[in-house]
Amino acid sequence: GDSVTQTEGLVTLTEGLPVMLNCTYQSTYSPFLFWYVQHLNEAPKLLLKSFTDNKRPEHQGFHATLHKSSSSFHLQKSSAQLSDSALYYCALSYGSSGNKLIFGIGTLLSVKP
Amino acid sequence: AQTIHQWPVAEIKAVGSPLSLGCTIKGKSSPNLYWYWQATGGTLQQLFYSITVGQVESVVQLNLSASRPKDDQFILSTEKLLLSHSGFYLCAWSPRLGENTGQLYFGEGSKLTVL
């Protein structure tokens, strides 16, 4: 069945270092992939979503590239900021109508000074 | 602009008692509506979705039920709470079928503690 895998539960970085959070997926269809961010005591918010063409989505310095050959949608940022500390979910919409969205287990990013 | 409002913000309930959580979406006609559950420290689990009034699809069984009595309202309920129901309940909407790319807009959530 369809699934999303995030291999890191916790990533701790020093401010200014690059960020890479891993996401791989399995899907029967050609899915849309998403990154959602959830700050402490807040609801999840969309950070990025994949495009159907080869464009690379970017937002708030984050970007992700959908690689169909490796079924991956890793999240990257060149320089981490303290305010980036949050829970990051990779998600996949599946089903013929895209009504079902499955989330990975989430990766907690902790950025230290 | 679309707004999504959930109520109550937080509840503390006894095991075996009933529960009703609500969600209202304003500014969007005929949205797809969703209920998600997040255990403390856990991932987001889709519970139900609805594409139209009166129609609700269950994704997982957690002894909960959902209803969509109006186009802009989604209700989550149970007659008997279990300890395992504790967690954070999130309502979300997405553009209707045909426009839907799976992008969700979440409400602020309802925190449920079952004792």
Side-chain angles (χ1 to χ4, degrees):
Chain A
D2 297 80
S3 64
V4 175
T5 301
Q6 292 180 253
T7 53
E8 310 115 335
L10 172 65
V11 171
T12 303
L13 289 174
T14 300
E15 188 179 16
L17 290 181
V19 178
M20 180 157 165
L21 306 184
N22 291 322
C23 174
T24 56
Y25 66 91
Q26 281 188 308
S27 181
T28 306
Y29 298 90
S30 292
F32 284 97
L33 273 292
F34 304 80
W35 278 100
Y36 282 81
V37 58
Q38 186 177 24
H39 287 93
L40 190 63
N41 296 323
E42 294 183 9
K45 291 179 181 151
L46 180 68
L47 181 61
L48 293 172
K49 67 176 179 180
S50 63
F51 289 100
T52 52
D53 54 23
N54 290 326
K55 288 181 186 174
R56 187 181 79 169
E58 295 193 30
H59 185 61
Q60 297 178 348
F62 286 95
H63 62 267
T65 302
L66 181 62
H67 290 289
K68 293 183 179 179
S69 58
S70 57
S71 298
S72 66
F73 191 58
H74 305 320
L75 182 68
Q76 295 177 275
K77 186 175 183 180
S78 59
S79 176
Q81 298 176 293
L82 295 176
S83 58
D84 293 332
S85 294
L87 190 55
Y88 291 80
Y89 289 103
C90 184
L92 170 156
S93 69
Y94 69 102
S96 56
S97 56
N99 283 321
K100 298 178 182 174
L101 194 66
I102 186 168
F103 286 81
I105 62 169
T107 297
L108 182 62
L109 176 63
S110 177
V111 182
K112 309 284 187 192
Chain B
Q2 299 86 10
T3 60
I4 178 168
H5 173 62
Q6 284 189 243
W7 73 92
V9 172
E11 279 261 54
I12 299 175
K13 303 278 280 186
V15 170
S17 63
L19 172 76
S20 182
L21 302 178
C23 172
T24 299
I25 292 84
K26 296 298 182 189
K28 184 65 181 179
S29 177
S30 302
N32 292 340
L33 297 176
Y34 308 81
W35 277 111
Y36 278 82
W37 173 68
Q38 186 178 35
T40 303
T43 190
L44 293 157
Q45 173 67 62
Q46 189 176 12
L47 301 176
F48 299 94
Y49 72 90
S50 169
I51 62 172
T52 192
V53 174
Q55 187 250 23
V56 176
E57 297 289 336
S58 173
V59 179
V60 293
Q61 292 296 327
L62 284 180
N63 293 310
L64 295 167
S65 60
S67 64
R68 186 169 178 176
K70 301 179 187 177
D71 185 52
D72 63 353
Q73 197 173 78
F74 207 21
I75 307 295
L76 183 71
S77 61
T78 183
E79 292 187 1
K80 277 190 176 182
L81 279 166
L82 306 172
L83 285 174
S84 57
H85 286 138
S86 292
F88 198 42
Y89 288 84
L90 289 154
C91 181
W93 72 270
S94 72
R96 64 178 300 159
L97 196 65
E99 309 163 23
N100 187 17
T101 59
Q103 180 175 337
L104 298 181
Y105 300 88
F106 286 92
E108 293 304 309
S110 296
K111 183 175 180 181
L112 173 66
T113 303
V114 183
L115 302 174

